[in-house]
Amino acid sequence: MNHPAPPEGCSALRTQVRELTASWRSAGRYVARSDSWLRSFDLEFSRELAATGLIAMTYPKEFGGGEHSNVERLAVTEELLRAGAPVAAHWIGDRQIGPAILRHGGRELQEEILPKIASAEAVFCLGMSEPEAGSDLAAVRTSATPVRGGWLVSGHKTWTSHAHRATHAYVLARTAQTERKHEGLTEFVLDMHADGVSTTPIPDLAGEHHFNEVRFEEVFVPAHRVIGEVGNGWRQVVEQLSFERGGAERVLSSYPVLTALITRTAEGHDTELRSLLGSLVARLAVLRRLCWEVARCLDSGKAPVQEAAALKYLGNAFERDVIDALRRTDLCRDPSPDGIYGQALLASPGFGLRGGAAEVLLSLISRQETRS
């Protein structure tokens, strides 16, 4: 297999992240956990990363970025996930909203929002899923009506992670009623502290609060806060989901479980477990290669829609199988929410939902395949 060498800077970036996370852990400033990119929120940690140039790495320097490649950013995100670091405060804004604004946003929006993401001043939540739309993103009912100087947004979003902590929301809303549901959609950036915004917590299976319901009642959004072209939101959001689905978090969310499994397997003499672990490690190598290919596509200016969907589908299956493998060890006797096994088990129902259910991903992959 022809696998190009990583850029020279990747090794130094990995070392930088390992040293930073090790210093925080040794000082007791965080405890590594599964699903840290969604569940471990620490604004102080995100701002320290920002100060060292490890957020907005691919953005232009004029907006506070580092002008690194997506391959270099992948090296950093892999290390943060391996360390189970508390990165939830900046993850969504850095991963997909900033790149979407860079691709489609106007100059005023870029100058306003991108430096705030780069400094971890802006915390984003995603206003996509709705109560009656299921996994069909094109079925959104949230609407936006044009008014003088901007838009009034009204609607109801659900499963919105960290909405209660966010300063800004990305919102997909309907701006025109058409016969084709994929048309007439528009993307907005909305202030979460604006009049008319309210949030209600949705506790998860572990009793933790990161999901929310969010209601918008005639929330004013200035005209420059539209991302891209009015009515063209579907094409843009499909591209944007490449950023969401194509990252290392689709493979490494349960990395603390894998390291525990490796340790237990090495301590014992279970040959079947060793064989199973070998197959998991081989699959991880392939999935990391897919992450690499997605990053290279992004660096070339493409939107790797099919590749990112395939990565998420296969990555979800891999992470569930890692947790299943841990059931063959004594670690599964501790299903408490703070234990390695219980933590990952309680998070696992969300693996196949966030970023698109399996049926949606398979449909997307098959459609792209028939066009190629």
Side-chain angles (χ1 to χ4, degrees), residues 86-302:
V87 293
H90 70 269
W91 199 263
I92 291 172
D94 178 40
R95 174 185 69 182
Q96 67 192 93
I97 305 305
I101 291 174
L102 273 170
R103 285 197 176 198
H104 302 293
R107 182 73 186 182
E108 185 177 359
L109 182 60
Q110 291 176 343
E111 291 179 343
E112 178 191 9
I113 298 297
L114 295 178
K116 292 180 180 177
I117 294 176
S119 62
E121 182 183 345
V123 176
F124 267 87
C125 62
L126 293 176
M128 292 190 184
S129 299
E130 296 191 1
E132 297 179 13
S135 296
D136 186 1
L137 199 56
V140 299
R141 296 184 177 182
T142 295
S143 64
T145 306
V147 295
R148 186 175 183 179
W151 299 79
L152 289 181
V153 174
S154 297
H156 183 189
K157 301 291 182 179
T158 191
W159 307 117
T160 310
S161 295
H162 300 295
H164 58 304
R165 293 163 164 155
T167 59
H168 298 78
Y170 160 91
V171 175
L172 184 66
R174 188 162 294 286
T175 48
Q177 295 294 335
T178 68
E179 292 184 358
R180 302 185 63 180
K181 65 181 182 180
H182 295 91
E183 297 176 351
L185 296 169
T186 302
E187 298 177 295
F188 296 90
V189 173
L190 184 149
D191 280 332
M192 286 298 289
H193 301 300
D195 291 340
V197 180
S198 62
T199 65
T200 305
I202 305 175
D204 65 13
L205 289 172
E208 296 180 1
H209 172 205
H210 61 91
F211 289 133
N212 299 271
E213 287 190 273
V214 185
R215 287 179 169 80
F216 306 113
E217 297 182 12
E218 296 192 337
V219 179
F220 177 73
V221 182
H224 76 276
R225 290 286 191 85
V226 171
I227 303 177
E229 184 181 345
V230 172
N232 196 36
W234 181 253
R235 184 181 66 81
Q236 294 174 190
V237 76
V238 169
E239 287 185 8
Q240 185 202 122
L241 288 172
S242 301
F243 298 115
E244 181 178 355
R245 294 167 175 160
E249 64 268 38
R250 303 306 174 188
V251 179
L252 299 176
S253 288
S254 56
Y255 193 81
V257 176
L258 183 61
T259 56
L261 180 63
I262 291 171
T263 300
R264 275 294 190 272
T265 304
E267 292 170 348
H269 303 283
D270 186 334
T271 55
E272 288 188 10
L273 185 57
R274 288 182 178 228
S275 177
L276 177 59
L277 177 60
S279 69
L280 289 171
V281 171
R283 287 168 64 188
L284 177 58
V286 173
L287 290 166
R288 289 186 68 209
R289 172 61 186 258
L290 281 174
C291 291
W292 166 278
E293 295 294 348
V294 168
R296 291 185 69 200
C297 283
L298 293 173
D299 281 333
S300 67
K302 299 177 183 174

Side-chain angles (χ1 to χ4, degrees), residues 13-33:
L13 288 167
R14 288 185 186 277
T15 300
Q16 184 181 355
V17 176
R18 288 173 186 176
E19 290 176 351
L20 176 63
T21 53
S23 70
W24 272 61
R25 280 202 307 274
S26 63
R29 299 176 73 178
Y30 85 88
V31 176
R33 63 164 301 168

Side-chain angles (χ1 to χ4, degrees), residues 298-362:
L298 293 173
D299 281 333
S300 67
K302 299 177 183 174
V305 175
Q306 183 180 17
E307 295 87 345
L311 174 62
K312 183 183 180 304
Y313 180 78
L314 296 173
N316 291 162
F318 167 76
E319 299 222 85
R320 286 195 299 269
D321 288 347
V322 169
I323 298 169
D324 281 345
L326 201 67
R327 290 195 176 104
R328 301 172 66 102
T329 74
D330 63 328
L331 290 173
C332 73
R333 295 172 188 164
D334 178 16
S336 64
D338 295 328
I340 290 174
Y341 175 67
Q343 203 176 71
L345 187 64
L346 289 169
S348 61
F351 292 172
L353 296 174
R354 58 198 187 199
E359 293 78 5
V360 173
L361 299 173
L362 290 172

